[in-house]
Amino acid sequence: MKLFFCQHCGQLLYFDNVRCEKCGHRLGYLPSAMTLSALEPQGDAWHALADPSTQVRFCRNAEADGCNWLVEADSDLPFCAACRFNRTIPDLSDPVNM
């Protein structure tokens, strides 16, 4: 299992972490850098500390806690590169499927 470190405080992170347990920064997977990045809000987007030149937003599946990947903020695509491969998902309006 690959481990990551928070760019803000150095805390050890696991891929499934959504928030740094030490400093509280929101986290997301930045595929262009192949790392979990600490994030800071920047308007309607996020500033990825792992790549300061990049503004990102979360994949649409993050709304259902189904994905932690990031998409470039100016992209027209609602889903990340990984979720775009999913053709069928369970009906998320049914609580059993959540």
Side-chain angles (χ1 to χ4, degrees):
M1 172 187 290
K2 183 173 180 177
L3 300 175
F4 303 94
F5 296 92
C6 178
Q7 291 83 15
H8 182 258
C9 71
Q11 173 72 22
L12 177 69
L13 304 172
Y14 297 91
F15 183 76
D16 290 339
N17 289 130
V18 294
R19 190 164 303 281
C20 177
E21 296 294 325
K22 184 174 180 182
C23 69
H25 270 75
R26 181 79 162 98
L27 303 170
Y29 183 71
L30 187 61
S32 61
M34 294 176 35
T35 193
L36 198 60
S37 180
L39 305 168
E40 293 182 344
Q42 191 170 41
D44 291 336
W46 295 88
H47 171 73
L49 297 185
D51 183 357
S53 65
T54 304
Q55 278 194 320
V56 293
R57 61 179 167 75
F58 280 93
C59 171
R60 182 175 290 163
N61 283 333
E63 296 169 8
D65 291 330
C67 183
N68 68 345
W69 282 42
L70 301 166
V71 179
E72 289 188 20
D74 59 357
S75 173
D76 293 336
L77 300 170
F79 298 103
C80 71
C83 290
R84 287 194 299 265
F85 285 105
N86 298 331
R87 298 179 112 194
T88 306
I89 63 168
D91 179 6
L92 298 180
S93 65
D94 183 347
V96 172
N97 292 335
M98 289 299 284

